[in-house]
Amino acid sequence: MSTFFAEYAWLVPVFPFAAFLVLTAMGKGLKKTGAWIGTIATFGSLVLSLCIATERISGNAADYSNQYNWIEIGNMKLTAGFEVTNLSTLMLVIVTLVSFLVNLYSQGYMKNDERISTFFAYVALFTSSMLGLILSDNLLTFFIFWELVGVCSFLLVGFWYHKPEAKAAAKKAFIVTRVGDLGLLIALLLLFWYMPGHALDFTTIHNVFDSQAGVISTGITTLIALLIFLGAVGKSGQFPLHVWLPDAMEGPTPISALIHAATMVAAGVFLVARTFDIFEASQVAMNTVAIVGAFTAIFAATIGLAQNDIKRILAFSTVSQLGYMMLALGVGSVTGAMFHLLTHAFFKALLFLGAGSVIHSVHTQDIREMGGLGSKMKITAWTFGIGALALSGIPPFSGFWSKDAILTAALDKQPILFIVGLVAAFFTALYMARLFFLVFVGKPREGQHAKESPAVMTIPLIVLAVLAIVAGFVETPFNGWLGQWLMGDEAEHHVSGLVMVISAAVGLLGLYIGWLMYVKGTIRRDAVSARVSGLVTLLERKYYIDELYQLIFVKPLQSFGKVLELFDYYVVDGIVRISGYSVSAIGRLNSRLQSGQVQTYALSVLIGIVILIVAIAGRRFW
């Protein structure tokens, strides 16, 4: 069984990292060629990833790992290395392919930006960090790359730092995800403490928890699993740590596509899948993952119904779809989760890049100010429509097959969560119908001089549209190839004709109602809004979660910070100031005493003698 290309898998993250170093070192000197350096480096990673995937698919290769001793203290030994499995190979292909297309697209979208070389440097580091995370063979190096991914998201979300909204969004993303990262760090420390030999590599973790030997108690196992999931909740924007993800839309649109399709948010799902043996050992943890995922799916889908920013609608769509992936993991379907991650990467990257094409042309993100763009931007409209149908779960597009796999798995394990998933699917189709019809259908707006984007932006759209159509056929009720390849002998293959019919009907119903409201006009949307104005406001304000966090966390912490500031100024600095003043006062007094005048010294001696005489006399008297 050949592992030739797997042995060189470490080069996959090295290519974009080298591009980052070159672009950072050369700075503005590579303004014209910097974009191509980043794009070519990512293309190199894509080619090597495809070679690894071909090798593993055609040769049925064994998992390959390579590690070296990193730190040794007595009997304790920490290793670092990389591991190539079918799961990591799938992720390598997803990340490098989407990243390459985003790099190519960005050459048109960011063409006139003054800091274009810096942008491509950050993208290269972002891609390299995600690829390093995927290949990590243990949780310690995984966590290092996990944090690097967070740093890169901060840099890219706040790339246009001259905008106050971008700076605020970057800080919000960084702080909110730190909450989840703390949970993951504690889980890592607990594993280090309880694992035999303090091992943190994924192979040992799999062997310990899969054997069900009771090496680690059920309570500790549950705690570790929940803390790992907390890390995934932060990175993958699950409730209640979802609030950073919509605000991250303040970054350049290509970065929105990269974050939402293949890098940061996918890291949380990948983490749970990578450590799935720990979750399987705790039913409480599995139920928690399933419930949080299902709730997030329907929660975010309802918010998407009332948003007017084209990118924020897609952002809440991402939160919802990530909820589906967590739901799949919670009901035990790793294949369903990774299958949906695969298809979602393509159609969500397509939708975001399509939205960027629209924004690039009309210079607004408010869908109420758009209309009739389909006649002027035909490639964008057709490809965006394919992405919308895939997201809505309409057959035969890829999202239908992957969402059907999740719903079937949910019906087998948790029927109530199946119903929640169906309702979320209906809302998804409805808000995507609203988005598509308001933007691309109808009469063009007056004064709106839209035109199709250049080929460097439309070619990635076409490629992603093709993938959004065909990617779903790797795992259908008639072909369970992906599950068999990912899980081996433990492959799950959920088949239900009833679920297929119901899920397709629900998606079509959502699109049909959207057509009646936003094209036909049979259902008057102003009348509907008037009847449920309170609900519309609630959804527009995103259930007031941000305001609630401001009230419960931000303002109390700011007040506490002001108290600490006053304490620091008046107490800590006050003591320092008093100390300095005292020393200065003593110095001034001493300088007067040490004046150099003999008369003063004689008077001081005389006063001292008098004091001594009085003291001695007083002592004898008493």
Side-chain angles (χ1 to χ4, degrees):
M1 290 182 284
S2 175
T3 58
F4 175 78
F5 289 111
E7 294 174 17
Y8 295 95
W10 58 273
L11 286 171
V12 176
V14 168
F15 290 142
F17 185 70
F20 164 73
L21 293 178
V22 171
L23 290 170
T24 303
M26 300 301 292
K28 293 184 178 180
L30 293 176
K31 184 175 180 180
K32 294 183 178 180
T33 59
W36 281 110
I37 291 175
T39 305
I40 292 170
T42 308
F43 181 71
S45 296
L46 171 60
V47 171
L48 182 53
S49 297
L50 290 173
C51 290
I52 295 170
T54 303
E55 181 178 76
R56 296 194 63 81
I57 292 170
S58 60
N60 193 27
D63 293 346
Y64 177 83
S65 64
N66 193 348
Q67 59 182 213
Y68 66 92
N69 293 339
W70 180 21
I71 301 173
E72 281 190 73
I73 304 175
N75 294 327
M76 187 191 74
K77 181 171 64 176
L78 294 177
T79 62
F82 67 97
E83 184 176 29
V84 179
T85 66
N86 289 347
L87 178 62
S88 61
T89 300
L90 176 66
M91 289 295 297
L92 287 179
V93 173
I94 293 172
V95 173
T96 54
L97 177 56
V98 173
S99 181
F100 169 68
L101 293 173
V102 167
N103 271 271
L104 189 62
Y105 177 95
S106 298
Q107 296 198 42
Y109 193 88
M110 302 294 291
K111 181 179 180 180
N112 298 319
D113 196 283
E114 288 294 322
R115 299 171 64 230
I116 186 170
S117 60
T118 303
F119 172 83
F120 278 92
Y122 289 168
V123 171
L125 181 60
F126 198 13
T127 303
S128 177
S129 301
M130 186 65 190
L131 295 171
L133 178 150
I134 292 167
L135 287 172
S136 293
D137 72 333
N138 68 79
L139 266 175
L140 182 58
T141 53
F142 183 100
F143 185 75
I144 293 171
F145 286 112
W146 177 274
E147 290 300 300
L148 271 173
V149 168
V151 170
C152 293
S153 70
F154 171 80
L155 294 172
L156 286 165
V157 171
F159 181 76
W160 288 323
Y161 57 85
H162 57 275
K163 297 168 56 180
E165 299 85 358
K167 289 191 291 187
K171 288 188 291 185
K172 187 175 184 179
F174 195 77
I175 293 170
V176 173
T177 54
R178 290 292 75 72
V179 176
D181 293 354
L182 178 61
L184 179 57
L185 176 60
I186 296 172
L188 190 152
L189 294 173
L190 287 172
L191 277 169
F192 179 78
W193 183 262
Y194 284 100
M195 284 288 290
H198 303 299
L200 290 173
D201 60 285
F202 292 112
T203 301
T204 304
I205 290 173
H206 169 76
N207 293 334
V208 168
F209 287 96
D210 188 54
S211 65
Q212 299 179 344
V215 176
I216 300 177
S217 67
T218 303
I220 296 298
T221 298
T222 299
L223 178 60
I224 291 171
L226 291 177
L227 288 169
I228 291 174
F229 181 57
L230 180 58
V233 165
K235 274 287 192 289
S236 292
Q238 298 296 280
F239 180 87
L241 300 181
H242 66 284
V243 291
W244 70 269
L245 200 50
D247 286 15
M249 297 302 95
E250 295 297 336
T253 301
I255 296 311
S256 301
L258 196 57
I259 289 176
H260 285 251
T263 51
M264 187 161 173
V265 299
V269 178
F270 178 70
L271 171 63
V272 177
R274 198 77 170 89
T275 58
F276 192 67
D277 297 292
I278 303 176
F279 288 85
E280 276 194 311
S282 170
Q283 190 58 46
V284 173
M286 292 289 284
N287 291 339
T288 302
V289 173
I291 292 170
V292 170
F295 178 79
T296 302
I298 194 169
F299 172 82
T302 57
I303 296 176
L305 290 169
Q307 301 303 303
N308 297 310
D309 185 306
I310 186 171
K311 289 173 65 177
R312 276 180 166 75
I313 295 172
L314 296 177
F316 280 106
S317 165
T318 299
V319 175
S320 180
Q321 298 307 304
L322 290 165
Y324 273 106
M325 298 175 207
M326 292 300 183
L327 168 60
L329 291 167
V331 297
S333 178
V334 176
T335 298
M338 296 308 299
F339 183 28
H340 199 52
L341 190 152
L342 168 68
T343 61
H344 178 265
F346 298 142
F347 64 68
K348 185 52 61 70
L350 170 60
L351 289 169
F352 266 111
L353 296 184
S357 179
V358 171
I359 296 167
H360 185 264
S361 178
V362 301
H363 307 293
T364 181
Q365 295 181 197
D366 193 331
I367 61 174
R368 295 170 298 184
E369 298 175 7
M370 303 177 190
L373 295 180
S375 60
K376 298 182 178 181
M377 305 179 68
K378 293 183 179 180
I379 296 177
T380 299
W382 276 99
T383 53
F384 194 96
I386 290 171
L389 291 171
L391 174 58
S392 301
I394 306 301
F397 300 95
S398 60
F400 167 75
W401 304 108
S402 57
K403 192 174 291 187
D404 177 70
I406 295 173
L407 292 175
T408 304
L411 182 61
D412 291 342
K413 298 288 182 66
Q414 299 282 354
I416 186 66
L417 299 184
F418 165 75
I419 296 173
V420 173
L422 273 183
V423 176
F426 168 76
F427 288 143
T428 300
L430 182 56
Y431 66 66
M432 286 310 299
R434 173 177 178 260
L435 171 58
F436 184 82
F437 292 140
L438 286 180
V439 173
F440 295 103
V441 179
K443 295 181 180 179
R445 297 275 181 174
E446 292 185 9
Q448 196 173 77
H449 305 291
K451 63 178 182 179
E452 188 59 89
S453 299
V456 74
M457 294 173 65
T458 55
I459 289 175
L461 295 181
I462 295 170
V463 173
L464 287 167
V466 172
L467 291 171
I469 296 172
V470 304
F473 293 102
V474 299
E475 180 76 13
T476 69
F478 323 105
N479 168 33
W481 175 83
L482 181 65
Q484 181 67 36
W485 185 66
L486 280 179
M487 307 302 294
D489 295 334
E490 303 172 5
E492 337 136 13
H493 193 52
H494 302 284
V495 180
S496 174
L498 179 62
V499 172
M500 292 175 63
V501 172
I502 293 175
S503 63
V506 165
L508 290 170
L509 178 62
L511 294 180
Y512 178 65
I513 292 177
W515 180 75
L516 291 178
M517 291 182 68
Y518 300 102
V519 178
K520 190 73 172 176
T522 306
I523 301 176
R524 293 181 55 195
R525 42 184 168 160
D526 54 345
V528 174
S529 299
R531 291 184 179 181
V532 290
S533 58
L535 178 59
V536 172
T537 302
L538 182 66
L539 297 179
E540 287 178 342
R541 301 304 297 269
K542 298 163 283 189
Y543 293 100
Y544 294 95
I545 299 295
D546 283 299
E547 289 81 357
L548 188 63
Y549 284 173
Q550 284 282 334
L551 182 64
I552 296 176
F553 297 110
V554 178
K555 289 184 178 179
L557 286 173
Q558 287 177 337
S559 300
F560 182 60
K562 289 187 179 298
V563 171
L564 292 179
E565 183 182 16
L566 293 174
F567 179 82
D568 179 68
Y569 183 79
Y570 288 105
V571 178
V572 178
D573 287 353
I575 293 173
V576 174
R577 286 193 296 270
I578 290 173
S579 300
Y581 178 79
S582 302
V583 171
S584 178
I586 293 172
R588 286 195 298 270
L589 177 61
N590 189 51
S591 67
R592 291 185 179 181
L593 293 175
Q594 303 294 332
S595 62
Q597 296 181 354
V598 177
Q599 301 94 321
T600 302
Y601 296 157
L603 178 62
S604 300
V605 171
L606 179 62
I607 292 172
I609 293 172
V610 170
I611 291 173
L612 286 172
I613 292 172
V614 171
I616 294 170
R619 183 178 179 185
R620 288 182 177 179
F621 176 78
W622 291 106

mmCIF file with all atom_site columns, all heavy atoms in Angstrom, residues 436-452:
data_model
loop_
_atom_site.group_PDB
_atom_site.id
_atom_site.type_symbol
_atom_site.label_atom_id
_atom_site.label_alt_id
_atom_site.label_comp_id
_atom_site.label_asym_id
_atom_site.label_entity_id
_atom_site.label_seq_id
_atom_site.pdbx_PDB_ins_code
_atom_site.Cartn_x
_atom_site.Cartn_y
_atom_site.Cartn_z
_atom_site.occupancy
_atom_site.B_iso_or_equiv
_atom_site.pdbx_formal_charge
_atom_site.auth_seq_id
_atom_site.auth_comp_id
_atom_site.auth_asym_id
_atom_site.auth_atom_id
_atom_site.pdbx_PDB_model_num
ATOM 1   N N   . PHE A 1 436 ? -32.803 35.610 -3.256  1.00 0.00 ? 436 PHE A N   1
ATOM 2   C CA  . PHE A 1 436 ? -32.587 35.501 -4.697  1.00 0.00 ? 436 PHE A CA  1
ATOM 3   C C   . PHE A 1 436 ? -33.572 36.363 -5.476  1.00 0.00 ? 436 PHE A C   1
ATOM 4   O O   . PHE A 1 436 ? -33.171 37.092 -6.401  1.00 0.00 ? 436 PHE A O   1
ATOM 5   C CB  . PHE A 1 436 ? -32.718 34.045 -5.136  1.00 0.00 ? 436 PHE A CB  1
ATOM 6   C CG  . PHE A 1 436 ? -32.423 33.845 -6.598  1.00 0.00 ? 436 PHE A CG  1
ATOM 7   C CD1 . PHE A 1 436 ? -31.111 33.724 -7.046  1.00 0.00 ? 436 PHE A CD1 1
ATOM 8   C CD2 . PHE A 1 436 ? -33.451 33.801 -7.537  1.00 0.00 ? 436 PHE A CD2 1
ATOM 9   C CE1 . PHE A 1 436 ? -30.830 33.558 -8.405  1.00 0.00 ? 436 PHE A CE1 1
ATOM 10  C CE2 . PHE A 1 436 ? -33.175 33.641 -8.879  1.00 0.00 ? 436 PHE A CE2 1
ATOM 11  C CZ  . PHE A 1 436 ? -31.864 33.514 -9.318  1.00 0.00 ? 436 PHE A CZ  1
ATOM 12  N N   . PHE A 1 437 ? -34.849 36.312 -5.126  1.00 0.00 ? 437 PHE A N   1
ATOM 13  C CA  . PHE A 1 437 ? -35.853 37.050 -5.886  1.00 0.00 ? 437 PHE A CA  1
ATOM 14  C C   . PHE A 1 437 ? -35.695 38.555 -5.739  1.00 0.00 ? 437 PHE A C   1
ATOM 15  O O   . PHE A 1 437 ? -35.867 39.308 -6.700  1.00 0.00 ? 437 PHE A O   1
ATOM 16  C CB  . PHE A 1 437 ? -37.263 36.614 -5.467  1.00 0.00 ? 437 PHE A CB  1
ATOM 17  C CG  . PHE A 1 437 ? -37.595 35.201 -5.856  1.00 0.00 ? 437 PHE A CG  1
ATOM 18  C CD1 . PHE A 1 437 ? -38.296 34.372 -4.988  1.00 0.00 ? 437 PHE A CD1 1
ATOM 19  C CD2 . PHE A 1 437 ? -37.197 34.684 -7.080  1.00 0.00 ? 437 PHE A CD2 1
ATOM 20  C CE1 . PHE A 1 437 ? -38.608 33.063 -5.337  1.00 0.00 ? 437 PHE A CE1 1
ATOM 21  C CE2 . PHE A 1 437 ? -37.498 33.381 -7.443  1.00 0.00 ? 437 PHE A CE2 1
ATOM 22  C CZ  . PHE A 1 437 ? -38.197 32.568 -6.570  1.00 0.00 ? 437 PHE A CZ  1
ATOM 23  N N   . LEU A 1 438 ? -35.363 39.037 -4.543  1.00 0.00 ? 438 LEU A N   1
ATOM 24  C CA  . LEU A 1 438 ? -35.194 40.472 -4.348  1.00 0.00 ? 438 LEU A CA  1
ATOM 25  C C   . LEU A 1 438 ? -33.965 41.000 -5.078  1.00 0.00 ? 438 LEU A C   1
ATOM 26  O O   . LEU A 1 438 ? -33.952 42.145 -5.541  1.00 0.00 ? 438 LEU A O   1
ATOM 27  C CB  . LEU A 1 438 ? -35.078 40.795 -2.854  1.00 0.00 ? 438 LEU A CB  1
ATOM 28  C CG  . LEU A 1 438 ? -36.370 40.720 -2.030  1.00 0.00 ? 438 LEU A CG  1
ATOM 29  C CD1 . LEU A 1 438 ? -36.098 41.074 -0.574  1.00 0.00 ? 438 LEU A CD1 1
ATOM 30  C CD2 . LEU A 1 438 ? -37.439 41.666 -2.594  1.00 0.00 ? 438 LEU A CD2 1
ATOM 31  N N   . VAL A 1 439 ? -32.936 40.188 -5.201  1.00 0.00 ? 439 VAL A N   1
ATOM 32  C CA  . VAL A 1 439 ? -31.685 40.653 -5.805  1.00 0.00 ? 439 VAL A CA  1
ATOM 33  C C   . VAL A 1 439 ? -31.702 40.489 -7.326  1.00 0.00 ? 439 VAL A C   1
ATOM 34  O O   . VAL A 1 439 ? -31.330 41.414 -8.065  1.00 0.00 ? 439 VAL A O   1
ATOM 35  C CB  . VAL A 1 439 ? -30.481 39.890 -5.198  1.00 0.00 ? 439 VAL A CB  1
ATOM 36  C CG1 . VAL A 1 439 ? -29.188 40.242 -5.945  1.00 0.00 ? 439 VAL A CG1 1
ATOM 37  C CG2 . VAL A 1 439 ? -30.340 40.221 -3.721  1.00 0.00 ? 439 VAL A CG2 1
ATOM 38  N N   . PHE A 1 440 ? -32.150 39.352 -7.825  1.00 0.00 ? 440 PHE A N   1
ATOM 39  C CA  . PHE A 1 440 ? -31.947 39.031 -9.238  1.00 0.00 ? 440 PHE A CA  1
ATOM 40  C C   . PHE A 1 440 ? -33.203 39.113 -10.100 1.00 0.00 ? 440 PHE A C   1
ATOM 41  O O   . PHE A 1 440 ? -33.100 39.141 -11.329 1.00 0.00 ? 440 PHE A O   1
ATOM 42  C CB  . PHE A 1 440 ? -31.349 37.628 -9.369  1.00 0.00 ? 440 PHE A CB  1
ATOM 43  C CG  . PHE A 1 440 ? -29.965 37.512 -8.790  1.00 0.00 ? 440 PHE A CG  1
ATOM 44  C CD1 . PHE A 1 440 ? -29.754 36.902 -7.568  1.00 0.00 ? 440 PHE A CD1 1
ATOM 45  C CD2 . PHE A 1 440 ? -28.883 38.037 -9.474  1.00 0.00 ? 440 PHE A CD2 1
ATOM 46  C CE1 . PHE A 1 440 ? -28.480 36.796 -7.033  1.00 0.00 ? 440 PHE A CE1 1
ATOM 47  C CE2 . PHE A 1 440 ? -27.600 37.937 -8.953  1.00 0.00 ? 440 PHE A CE2 1
ATOM 48  C CZ  . PHE A 1 440 ? -27.398 37.316 -7.730  1.00 0.00 ? 440 PHE A CZ  1
ATOM 49  N N   . VAL A 1 441 ? -34.381 39.115 -9.496  1.00 0.00 ? 441 VAL A N   1
ATOM 50  C CA  . VAL A 1 441 ? -35.626 39.085 -10.265 1.00 0.00 ? 441 VAL A CA  1
ATOM 51  C C   . VAL A 1 441 ? -36.307 40.453 -10.166 1.00 0.00 ? 441 VAL A C   1
ATOM 52  O O   . VAL A 1 441 ? -36.062 41.216 -9.234  1.00 0.00 ? 441 VAL A O   1
ATOM 53  C CB  . VAL A 1 441 ? -36.543 37.960 -9.745  1.00 0.00 ? 441 VAL A CB  1
ATOM 54  C CG1 . VAL A 1 441 ? -37.864 37.927 -10.512 1.00 0.00 ? 441 VAL A CG1 1
ATOM 55  C CG2 . VAL A 1 441 ? -35.837 36.606 -9.864  1.00 0.00 ? 441 VAL A CG2 1
ATOM 56  N N   . GLY A 1 442 ? -37.172 40.745 -11.111 1.00 0.00 ? 442 GLY A N   1
ATOM 57  C CA  . GLY A 1 442 ? -37.902 42.005 -11.097 1.00 0.00 ? 442 GLY A CA  1
ATOM 58  C C   . GLY A 1 442 ? -37.244 43.041 -11.981 1.00 0.00 ? 442 GLY A C   1
ATOM 59  O O   . GLY A 1 442 ? -36.363 42.741 -12.795 1.00 0.00 ? 442 GLY A O   1
ATOM 60  N N   . LYS A 1 443 ? -37.682 44.281 -11.800 1.00 0.00 ? 443 LYS A N   1
ATOM 61  C CA  . LYS A 1 443 ? -37.163 45.377 -12.617 1.00 0.00 ? 443 LYS A CA  1
ATOM 62  C C   . LYS A 1 443 ? -35.890 45.934 -11.993 1.00 0.00 ? 443 LYS A C   1
ATOM 63  O O   . LYS A 1 443 ? -35.800 46.073 -10.768 1.00 0.00 ? 443 LYS A O   1
ATOM 64  C CB  . LYS A 1 443 ? -38.203 46.500 -12.739 1.00 0.00 ? 443 LYS A CB  1
ATOM 65  C CG  . LYS A 1 443 ? -39.465 46.088 -13.481 1.00 0.00 ? 443 LYS A CG  1
ATOM 66  C CD  . LYS A 1 443 ? -40.438 47.260 -13.579 1.00 0.00 ? 443 LYS A CD  1
ATOM 67  C CE  . LYS A 1 443 ? -41.707 46.837 -14.335 1.00 0.00 ? 443 LYS A CE  1
ATOM 68  N NZ  . LYS A 1 443 ? -42.676 47.963 -14.418 1.00 0.00 ? 443 LYS A NZ  1
ATOM 69  N N   . PRO A 1 444 ? -34.909 46.269 -12.844 1.00 0.00 ? 444 PRO A N   1
ATOM 70  C CA  . PRO A 1 444 ? -33.679 46.879 -12.312 1.00 0.00 ? 444 PRO A CA  1
ATOM 71  C C   . PRO A 1 444 ? -33.985 48.210 -11.634 1.00 0.00 ? 444 PRO A C   1
ATOM 72  O O   . PRO A 1 444 ? -34.877 48.951 -12.053 1.00 0.00 ? 444 PRO A O   1
ATOM 73  C CB  . PRO A 1 444 ? -32.805 47.073 -13.556 1.00 0.00 ? 444 PRO A CB  1
ATOM 74  C CG  . PRO A 1 444 ? -33.354 46.102 -14.560 1.00 0.00 ? 444 PRO A CG  1
ATOM 75  C CD  . PRO A 1 444 ? -34.829 46.017 -14.280 1.00 0.00 ? 444 PRO A CD  1
ATOM 76  N N   . ARG A 1 445 ? -33.241 48.506 -10.584 1.00 0.00 ? 445 ARG A N   1
ATOM 77  C CA  . ARG A 1 445 ? -33.399 49.772 -9.875  1.00 0.00 ? 445 ARG A CA  1
ATOM 78  C C   . ARG A 1 445 ? -32.889 50.929 -10.732 1.00 0.00 ? 445 ARG A C   1
ATOM 79  O O   . ARG A 1 445 ? -31.921 50.791 -11.483 1.00 0.00 ? 445 ARG A O   1
ATOM 80  C CB  . ARG A 1 445 ? -32.606 49.738 -8.571  1.00 0.00 ? 445 ARG A CB  1
ATOM 81  C CG  . ARG A 1 445 ? -33.099 48.675 -7.601  1.00 0.00 ? 445 ARG A CG  1
ATOM 82  C CD  . ARG A 1 445 ? -34.249 49.187 -6.780  1.00 0.00 ? 445 ARG A CD  1
ATOM 83  N NE  . ARG A 1 445 ? -34.720 48.175 -5.837  1.00 0.00 ? 445 ARG A NE  1
ATOM 84  C CZ  . ARG A 1 445 ? -35.645 48.397 -4.906  1.00 0.00 ? 445 ARG A CZ  1
ATOM 85  N NH1 . ARG A 1 445 ? -36.200 49.592 -4.818  1.00 0.00 ? 445 ARG A NH1 1
ATOM 86  N NH2 . ARG A 1 445 ? -36.022 47.443 -4.103  1.00 0.00 ? 445 ARG A NH2 1
ATOM 87  N N   . GLU A 1 446 ? -33.558 52.067 -10.606 1.00 0.00 ? 446 GLU A N   1
ATOM 88  C CA  . GLU A 1 446 ? -33.124 53.247 -11.346 1.00 0.00 ? 446 GLU A CA  1
ATOM 89  C C   . GLU A 1 446 ? -31.760 53.702 -10.832 1.00 0.00 ? 446 GLU A C   1
ATOM 90  O O   . GLU A 1 446 ? -31.509 53.725 -9.630  1.00 0.00 ? 446 GLU A O   1
ATOM 91  C CB  . GLU A 1 446 ? -34.142 54.379 -11.185 1.00 0.00 ? 446 GLU A CB  1
ATOM 92  C CG  . GLU A 1 446 ? -35.471 54.093 -11.873 1.00 0.00 ? 446 GLU A CG  1
ATOM 93  C CD  . GLU A 1 446 ? -36.408 55.284 -11.783 1.00 0.00 ? 446 GLU A CD  1
ATOM 94  O OE1 . GLU A 1 446 ? -35.944 56.356 -11.338 1.00 0.00 ? 446 GLU A OE1 1
ATOM 95  O OE2 . GLU A 1 446 ? -37.590 55.136 -12.140 1.00 0.00 ? 446 GLU A OE2 1
ATOM 96  N N   . GLY A 1 447 ? -30.912 54.076 -11.748 1.00 0.00 ? 447 GLY A N   1
ATOM 97  C CA  . GLY A 1 447 ? -29.591 54.564 -11.369 1.00 0.00 ? 447 GLY A CA  1
ATOM 98  C C   . GLY A 1 447 ? -28.610 53.475 -10.985 1.00 0.00 ? 447 GLY A C   1
ATOM 99  O O   . GLY A 1 447 ? -27.492 53.775 -10.563 1.00 0.00 ? 447 GLY A O   1
ATOM 100 N N   . GLN A 1 448 ? -29.019 52.221 -11.124 1.00 0.00 ? 448 GLN A N   1
ATOM 101 C CA  . GLN A 1 448 ? -28.143 51.106 -10.748 1.00 0.00 ? 448 GLN A CA  1
ATOM 102 C C   . GLN A 1 448 ? -27.463 50.565 -12.007 1.00 0.00 ? 448 GLN A C   1
ATOM 103 O O   . GLN A 1 448 ? -28.071 49.869 -12.803 1.00 0.00 ? 448 GLN A O   1
ATOM 104 C CB  . GLN A 1 448 ? -28.965 50.016 -10.054 1.00 0.00 ? 448 GLN A CB  1
ATOM 105 C CG  . GLN A 1 448 ? -28.133 49.010 -9.285  1.00 0.00 ? 448 GLN A CG  1
ATOM 106 C CD  . GLN A 1 448 ? -29.023 48.065 -8.497  1.00 0.00 ? 448 GLN A CD  1
ATOM 107 O OE1 . GLN A 1 448 ? -29.612 47.140 -9.049  1.00 0.00 ? 448 GLN A OE1 1
ATOM 108 N NE2 . GLN A 1 448 ? -29.140 48.302 -7.206  1.00 0.00 ? 448 GLN A NE2 1
ATOM 109 N N   . HIS A 1 449 ? -26.203 50.902 -12.172 1.00 0.00 ? 449 HIS A N   1
ATOM 110 C CA  . HIS A 1 449 ? -25.484 50.544 -13.392 1.00 0.00 ? 449 HIS A CA  1
ATOM 111 C C   . HIS A 1 449 ? -24.660 49.286 -13.138 1.00 0.00 ? 449 HIS A C   1
ATOM 112 O O   . HIS A 1 449 ? -23.427 49.324 -13.041 1.00 0.00 ? 449 HIS A O   1
ATOM 113 C CB  . HIS A 1 449 ? -24.600 51.707 -13.847 1.00 0.00 ? 449 HIS A CB  1
ATOM 114 C CG  . HIS A 1 449 ? -25.347 52.990 -14.031 1.00 0.00 ? 449 HIS A CG  1
ATOM 115 N ND1 . HIS A 1 449 ? -26.270 53.179 -15.039 1.00 0.00 ? 449 HIS A ND1 1
ATOM 116 C CD2 . HIS A 1 449 ? -25.332 54.144 -13.315 1.00 0.00 ? 449 HIS A CD2 1
ATOM 117 C CE1 . HIS A 1 449 ? -26.780 54.397 -14.956 1.00 0.00 ? 449 HIS A CE1 1
ATOM 118 N NE2 . HIS A 1 449 ? -26.238 55.010 -13.907 1.00 0.00 ? 449 HIS A NE2 1
ATOM 119 N N   . ALA A 1 450 ? -25.345 48.174 -13.014 1.00 0.00 ? 450 ALA A N   1
ATOM 120 C CA  . ALA A 1 450 ? -24.667 46.905 -12.726 1.00 0.00 ? 450 ALA A CA  1
ATOM 121 C C   . ALA A 1 450 ? -24.100 46.295 -13.996 1.00 0.00 ? 450 ALA A C   1
ATOM 122 O O   . ALA A 1 450 ? -24.650 46.460 -15.086 1.00 0.00 ? 450 ALA A O   1
ATOM 123 C CB  . ALA A 1 450 ? -25.648 45.929 -12.081 1.00 0.00 ? 450 ALA A CB  1
ATOM 124 N N   . LYS A 1 451 ? -22.991 45.597 -13.836 1.00 0.00 ? 451 LYS A N   1
ATOM 125 C CA  . LYS A 1 451 ? -22.410 44.844 -14.945 1.00 0.00 ? 451 LYS A CA  1
ATOM 126 C C   . LYS A 1 451 ? -21.719 43.609 -14.386 1.00 0.00 ? 451 LYS A C   1
ATOM 127 O O   . LYS A 1 451 ? -21.366 43.563 -13.213 1.00 0.00 ? 451 LYS A O   1
ATOM 128 C CB  . LYS A 1 451 ? -21.429 45.703 -15.741 1.00 0.00 ? 451 LYS A CB  1
ATOM 129 C CG  . LYS A 1 451 ? -20.224 46.175 -14.952 1.00 0.00 ? 451 LYS A CG  1
ATOM 130 C CD  . LYS A 1 451 ? -19.292 46.984 -15.845 1.00 0.00 ? 451 LYS A CD  1
ATOM 131 C CE  . LYS A 1 451 ? -18.042 47.425 -15.060 1.00 0.00 ? 451 LYS A CE  1
ATOM 132 N NZ  . LYS A 1 451 ? -17.102 48.186 -15.910 1.00 0.00 ? 451 LYS A NZ  1
ATOM 133 N N   . GLU A 1 452 ? -21.547 42.623 -15.263 1.00 0.00 ? 452 GLU A N   1
ATOM 134 C CA  . GLU A 1 452 ? -20.961 41.367 -14.821 1.00 0.00 ? 452 GLU A CA  1
ATOM 135 C C   . GLU A 1 452 ? -19.512 41.568 -14.371 1.00 0.00 ? 452 GLU A C   1
ATOM 136 O O   . GLU A 1 452 ? -18.794 42.423 -14.894 1.00 0.00 ? 452 GLU A O   1
ATOM 137 C CB  . GLU A 1 452 ? -21.023 40.328 -15.954 1.00 0.00 ? 452 GLU A CB  1
ATOM 138 C CG  . GLU A 1 452 ? -20.609 38.928 -15.540 1.00 0.00 ? 452 GLU A CG  1
ATOM 139 C CD  . GLU A 1 452 ? -21.457 38.373 -14.415 1.00 0.00 ? 452 GLU A CD  1
ATOM 140 O OE1 . GLU A 1 452 ? -22.496 37.757 -14.706 1.00 0.00 ? 452 GLU A OE1 1
ATOM 141 O OE2 . GLU A 1 452 ? -21.078 38.584 -13.240 1.00 0.00 ? 452 GLU A OE2 1
#
